[in-house]
Amino acid sequence: MADDDISIRTSGLNHWFGTGEARKQALFDIGLRIARGSFIVMVGPSGSGKTTLLTLLGCLREVQEGSVVLLGQELRHATTAQSVRLRRRLGFIFQAHNLHESLTARQNVMMGLQVKGRLNRETADEAAAHVLSILGLSDRLDYLPANLSGGQNQRVAIGRALVGNPDVVLADEPTAALDWETAAKVVDLLKQLGQARGTTTVMVTHDNRILDRADRILTLQDGRLVADDSRRV
Amino acid sequence: MSRLLERLLGRLPIGWLQLVHQRGRFAAALSGVAFANVLVFVQLGLMSSMGVSTVRPYQFFQSDILISAADANTLVDGGNVARQWMLQALADPDVVSGMGLFVAIVPWDRGDTDISLTTFGINPFQADFLAPDIAADIDMLQVQDAAILDRLARGLTREEAAAVRLHTPLSFETQGRTLTAYDTFAGGGGFGADGYLLVSDQTFLSLFPARSSGAPDHILLRLRPGAQPDAVANRLRGLIADRTLRIRSYSDAMDEEVRFQQTQRPTGVIFGFGVLIGILVGIVIVFQVLSADVADHMREYATFKAMGYGQGFFLGVVVEEAVILGVLGFIPGVIAGWAILTLMAEVTTLPLFISFGMAVTVFIGTVVFSALSGIIATRRLAAADPAELF
């Protein structure tokens, strides 16, 4: 696979939490090559290191040992400014929606665009409304999070992650609050983005129905990559 | 408002949206800022009034140089000055004339209220030492025990003052003598006394028999046109043998007394501290509100951090909130401050008001200090760790 086709590459990646005697290793020698446009699902029991790996791939933690190359940029020793710039090319979907309580659904989604620079209000409005309509929320554009259900809020959070056309989407249990029909729609949307624009998705999930749709399943256990079920790549 | 701010900022006005989302907290914050503004306005009004009322008696006279005793920090303080130094000063070619000025405070028992009047004893034959509106009536002071009364004195009703005329004079007892006011002038209550009274030097000496005509409280000098008061004052310091005397241009003496009243006198210092406390109260209120707001939105801010928003964005949001609080809190603050000062002015007859300059200064101060509070409050944002969101 040519370097241009690789979104994420890790090698010899180790990570620890704590210091001194309390120091505990969370990841052991993780080596990965994730192709551009692929839909990756990461599974494993609680405490297996999935979230730690996700935060390292998303420039949310400093790489302590080994290498992580994200979108062609080595993250080890990356400056704060470099990390911030790189994060603008990512889309994060958290288990909790973390929407801003005083912004409407449309405004929350617009925050995903605003991070890229000064807003053209009309374009941003249209883009936010378009994404929300794909997610089935066209009649909830001007609702505050407090007036939306859990599933609707999660869809708004997904819209916020996708509206800026990210190169990589990092998602932690994004469909946990959704019914299967909506969850399937979200997964299809992410896969379509992969095929159409080369958006890479790395998703942590326990939903077996999503596993069936993954291009590749990574299994972590006790901080080690114990299985790499590659179906397409 | 939301659209206007969006155009202005070029981004969603998150600060404004956060504030209006929690209306109760927003109203409390605005009340707090307004309260701090009122505190500052009242204290500044009092300080300013102290300056205006300090300058006021200087405006009764026309003089270029003032000679006072070493310990005379104000017009009513300090020892006496020997009249011989006035004669010596007249030896300077630029000094045209001189007049001794006697000053003391006399009580006036008005039945239910006792008031005190700062009384100036002047030479009624030297009208050129008096402000034009007073000089016109000075001849009547040649009559023994005649007086010109301050019509704005505290405790004197406007009707009573308006009735004082040459043919309907007002007589009153003080210092064991009966003074008769034949006319009035505009003085006003101050911090040291309730008003002013002008009498001749002879009447003054009758009121205060222990005082000597050869030792007035101050000496006023007038110079020939074009002479430089500072240069002449400098020459006089060399000419007059008593080196302890304070020989200053009249304007310098006035400025020095204002400074003295505002920085050395307890009342001035207290007003100064009042301003400081108002500012501190404002800073603490805005800081508390913004700090609590930041703490309440920590997860959202962490999410924005994860998305790639930098420190400048967060600073912008919090400063946006601070400036909104400062601007919107100022409006009720200035209205309430104006109302309180107007009421106080009515009761005390002190020149209490909010000048345009004062309003602009407090507005800028409010916005700047609010913004500073906001900047301090953003320090809490360091705790927003996006890695904790997963």
Side-chain angles (χ1 to χ4, degrees), chain A residues 204-223:
Chain A
V204 170
T205 185
H206 289 100
D207 191 334
N208 289 335
R209 291 170 297 187
I210 293 176
L211 299 186
D212 293 340
R213 293 175 176 232
D215 296 326
R216 183 175 167 193
I217 301 168
L218 304 173
T219 308
L220 269 82
Q221 197 167 341
D222 297 329

mmCIF file of all heavy atoms in Angstrom, chain A residues 204-223:
data_model
loop_
_atom_site.group_PDB
_atom_site.id
_atom_site.type_symbol
_atom_site.label_atom_id
_atom_site.label_comp_id
_atom_site.label_asym_id
_atom_site.label_seq_id
_atom_site.Cartn_x
_atom_site.Cartn_y
_atom_site.Cartn_z
ATOM 1 N N VAL A 204 -15.066 2.563 17.975
ATOM 2 C CA VAL A 204 -15.124 1.601 19.073
ATOM 3 C C VAL A 204 -16.602 1.256 19.267
ATOM 4 O O VAL A 204 -17.432 2.154 19.398
ATOM 5 C CB VAL A 204 -14.552 2.213 20.372
ATOM 6 C CG1 VAL A 204 -14.843 1.315 21.569
ATOM 7 C CG2 VAL A 204 -13.061 2.459 20.243
ATOM 8 N N THR A 205 -16.939 -0.020 19.237
ATOM 9 C CA THR A 205 -18.331 -0.397 19.440
ATOM 10 C C THR A 205 -18.442 -1.820 19.977
ATOM 11 O O THR A 205 -17.522 -2.628 19.833
ATOM 12 C CB THR A 205 -19.139 -0.262 18.131
ATOM 13 O OG1 THR A 205 -20.509 -0.522 18.393
ATOM 14 C CG2 THR A 205 -18.657 -1.225 17.065
ATOM 15 N N HIS A 206 -19.570 -2.072 20.620
ATOM 16 C CA HIS A 206 -19.870 -3.430 21.069
ATOM 17 C C HIS A 206 -21.055 -3.990 20.302
ATOM 18 O O HIS A 206 -21.522 -5.091 20.573
ATOM 19 C CB HIS A 206 -20.183 -3.424 22.572
ATOM 20 C CG HIS A 206 -18.982 -3.164 23.413
ATOM 21 N ND1 HIS A 206 -18.711 -1.918 23.955
ATOM 22 C CD2 HIS A 206 -17.955 -3.970 23.776
ATOM 23 C CE1 HIS A 206 -17.585 -1.983 24.639
ATOM 24 N NE2 HIS A 206 -17.101 -3.214 24.546
ATOM 25 N N ASP A 207 -21.537 -3.198 19.338
ATOM 26 C CA ASP A 207 -22.731 -3.590 18.594
ATOM 27 C C ASP A 207 -22.343 -4.586 17.492
ATOM 28 O O ASP A 207 -21.694 -4.228 16.498
ATOM 29 C CB ASP A 207 -23.370 -2.332 18.010
ATOM 30 C CG ASP A 207 -24.754 -2.608 17.451
ATOM 31 O OD1 ASP A 207 -25.003 -3.778 17.061
ATOM 32 O OD2 ASP A 207 -25.571 -1.676 17.415
ATOM 33 N N ASN A 208 -22.748 -5.837 17.684
ATOM 34 C CA ASN A 208 -22.359 -6.905 16.730
ATOM 35 C C ASN A 208 -22.877 -6.630 15.325
ATOM 36 O O ASN A 208 -22.274 -7.055 14.346
ATOM 37 C CB ASN A 208 -22.879 -8.257 17.219
ATOM 38 C CG ASN A 208 -22.098 -8.702 18.433
ATOM 39 O OD1 ASN A 208 -20.954 -8.292 18.617
ATOM 40 N ND2 ASN A 208 -22.721 -9.508 19.290
ATOM 41 N N ARG A 209 -24.006 -5.926 15.235
ATOM 42 C CA ARG A 209 -24.583 -5.684 13.905
ATOM 43 C C ARG A 209 -23.680 -4.752 13.099
ATOM 44 O O ARG A 209 -23.633 -4.812 11.876
ATOM 45 C CB ARG A 209 -25.984 -5.074 14.048
ATOM 46 C CG ARG A 209 -26.964 -6.080 14.604
ATOM 47 C CD ARG A 209 -28.269 -5.452 14.985
ATOM 48 N NE ARG A 209 -28.114 -4.458 16.054
ATOM 49 C CZ ARG A 209 -29.129 -3.861 16.654
ATOM 50 N NH1 ARG A 209 -30.368 -4.132 16.294
ATOM 51 N NH2 ARG A 209 -28.926 -2.988 17.603
ATOM 52 N N ILE A 210 -22.948 -3.928 13.804
ATOM 53 C CA ILE A 210 -22.014 -3.035 13.099
ATOM 54 C C ILE A 210 -20.767 -3.796 12.674
ATOM 55 O O ILE A 210 -20.188 -3.537 11.619
ATOM 56 C CB ILE A 210 -21.667 -1.820 13.977
ATOM 57 C CG1 ILE A 210 -22.916 -0.957 14.146
ATOM 58 C CG2 ILE A 210 -20.541 -0.983 13.375
ATOM 59 C CD1 ILE A 210 -22.756 0.220 15.054
ATOM 60 N N LEU A 211 -20.392 -4.780 13.515
ATOM 61 C CA LEU A 211 -19.201 -5.571 13.171
ATOM 62 C C LEU A 211 -19.335 -6.160 11.782
ATOM 63 O O LEU A 211 -18.362 -6.253 11.025
ATOM 64 C CB LEU A 211 -18.988 -6.693 14.189
ATOM 65 C CG LEU A 211 -18.758 -6.293 15.651
ATOM 66 C CD1 LEU A 211 -18.418 -7.539 16.485
ATOM 67 C CD2 LEU A 211 -17.634 -5.282 15.769
ATOM 68 N N ASP A 212 -20.573 -6.570 11.455
ATOM 69 C CA ASP A 212 -20.808 -7.202 10.157
ATOM 70 C C ASP A 212 -20.522 -6.255 8.998
ATOM 71 O O ASP A 212 -20.294 -6.691 7.880
ATOM 72 C CB ASP A 212 -22.271 -7.671 10.068
ATOM 73 C CG ASP A 212 -22.521 -8.786 11.061
ATOM 74 O OD1 ASP A 212 -21.530 -9.410 11.496
ATOM 75 O OD2 ASP A 212 -23.685 -9.005 11.433
ATOM 76 N N ARG A 213 -20.603 -4.961 9.271
ATOM 77 C CA ARG A 213 -20.439 -4.001 8.174
ATOM 78 C C ARG A 213 -19.007 -3.447 8.116
ATOM 79 O O ARG A 213 -18.701 -2.610 7.261
ATOM 80 C CB ARG A 213 -21.397 -2.829 8.371
ATOM 81 C CG ARG A 213 -22.836 -3.273 8.225
ATOM 82 C CD ARG A 213 -23.783 -2.150 8.545
ATOM 83 N NE ARG A 213 -25.145 -2.609 8.297
ATOM 84 C CZ ARG A 213 -26.011 -1.950 7.551
ATOM 85 N NH1 ARG A 213 -25.690 -0.824 6.989
ATOM 86 N NH2 ARG A 213 -27.226 -2.430 7.362
ATOM 87 N N ALA A 214 -18.153 -3.838 9.062
ATOM 88 C CA ALA A 214 -16.793 -3.276 9.129
ATOM 89 C C ALA A 214 -15.909 -3.845 8.026
ATOM 90 O O ALA A 214 -16.058 -4.999 7.626
ATOM 91 C CB ALA A 214 -16.187 -3.580 10.493
ATOM 92 N N ASP A 215 -14.981 -2.994 7.546
ATOM 93 C CA ASP A 215 -13.986 -3.473 6.588
ATOM 94 C C ASP A 215 -12.913 -4.275 7.314
ATOM 95 O O ASP A 215 -12.261 -5.133 6.727
ATOM 96 C CB ASP A 215 -13.304 -2.279 5.907
ATOM 97 C CG ASP A 215 -14.282 -1.469 5.082
ATOM 98 O OD1 ASP A 215 -15.207 -2.067 4.503
ATOM 99 O OD2 ASP A 215 -14.143 -0.223 5.038
ATOM 100 N N ARG A 216 -12.745 -3.939 8.582
ATOM 101 C CA ARG A 216 -11.651 -4.566 9.325
ATOM 102 C C ARG A 216 -11.987 -4.452 10.814
ATOM 103 O O ARG A 216 -12.482 -3.414 11.263
ATOM 104 C CB ARG A 216 -10.378 -3.791 8.998
ATOM 105 C CG ARG A 216 -9.112 -4.295 9.595
ATOM 106 C CD ARG A 216 -7.983 -3.446 9.026
ATOM 107 N NE ARG A 216 -6.750 -3.639 9.739
ATOM 108 C CZ ARG A 216 -5.689 -2.867 9.622
ATOM 109 N NH1 ARG A 216 -5.728 -1.826 8.800
ATOM 110 N NH2 ARG A 216 -4.596 -3.109 10.305
ATOM 111 N N ILE A 217 -11.711 -5.486 11.551
ATOM 112 C CA ILE A 217 -12.008 -5.471 12.987
ATOM 113 C C ILE A 217 -10.699 -5.666 13.756
ATOM 114 O O ILE A 217 -9.984 -6.650 13.532
ATOM 115 C CB ILE A 217 -13.015 -6.577 13.371
ATOM 116 C CG1 ILE A 217 -14.330 -6.382 12.586
ATOM 117 C CG2 ILE A 217 -13.282 -6.566 14.871
ATOM 118 C CD1 ILE A 217 -15.270 -7.569 12.686
ATOM 119 N N LEU A 218 -10.409 -4.719 14.612
ATOM 120 C CA LEU A 218 -9.211 -4.826 15.447
ATOM 121 C C LEU A 218 -9.653 -5.225 16.844
ATOM 122 O O LEU A 218 -10.564 -4.606 17.404
ATOM 123 C CB LEU A 218 -8.486 -3.476 15.520
ATOM 124 C CG LEU A 218 -8.072 -2.838 14.196
ATOM 125 C CD1 LEU A 218 -7.528 -1.427 14.437
ATOM 126 C CD2 LEU A 218 -7.026 -3.688 13.507
ATOM 127 N N THR A 219 -9.028 -6.240 17.400
ATOM 128 C CA THR A 219 -9.395 -6.678 18.752
ATOM 129 C C THR A 219 -8.238 -6.404 19.704
ATOM 130 O O THR A 219 -7.107 -6.842 19.448
ATOM 131 C CB THR A 219 -9.746 -8.175 18.769
ATOM 132 O OG1 THR A 219 -10.715 -8.420 17.747
ATOM 133 C CG2 THR A 219 -10.298 -8.601 20.121
ATOM 134 N N LEU A 220 -8.546 -5.663 20.741
ATOM 135 C CA LEU A 220 -7.527 -5.372 21.753
ATOM 136 C C LEU A 220 -7.853 -6.117 23.035
ATOM 137 O O LEU A 220 -9.027 -6.266 23.400
ATOM 138 C CB LEU A 220 -7.477 -3.870 22.052
ATOM 139 C CG LEU A 220 -6.503 -3.067 21.189
ATOM 140 C CD1 LEU A 220 -7.146 -2.731 19.853
ATOM 141 C CD2 LEU A 220 -6.082 -1.790 21.899
ATOM 142 N N GLN A 221 -6.801 -6.584 23.686
ATOM 143 C CA GLN A 221 -6.975 -7.237 24.984
ATOM 144 C C GLN A 221 -5.756 -6.933 25.835
ATOM 145 O O GLN A 221 -4.620 -7.123 25.366
ATOM 146 C CB GLN A 221 -7.131 -8.742 24.784
ATOM 147 C CG GLN A 221 -7.711 -9.411 26.003
ATOM 148 C CD GLN A 221 -8.163 -10.830 25.691
ATOM 149 O OE1 GLN A 221 -8.375 -11.200 24.525
ATOM 150 N NE2 GLN A 221 -8.290 -11.633 26.706
ATOM 151 N N ASP A 222 -6.004 -6.440 27.029
ATOM 152 C CA ASP A 222 -4.921 -6.083 27.968
ATOM 153 C C ASP A 222 -3.854 -5.218 27.303
ATOM 154 O O ASP A 222 -2.643 -5.403 27.516
ATOM 155 C CB ASP A 222 -4.268 -7.358 28.531
ATOM 156 C CG ASP A 222 -5.269 -8.163 29.334
ATOM 157 O OD1 ASP A 222 -6.170 -7.527 29.938
ATOM 158 O OD2 ASP A 222 -5.181 -9.401 29.325
ATOM 159 N N GLY A 223 -4.292 -4.321 26.452
ATOM 160 C CA GLY A 223 -3.360 -3.362 25.843
ATOM 161 C C GLY A 223 -2.639 -3.891 24.623
ATOM 162 O O GLY A 223 -1.758 -3.223 24.088
#
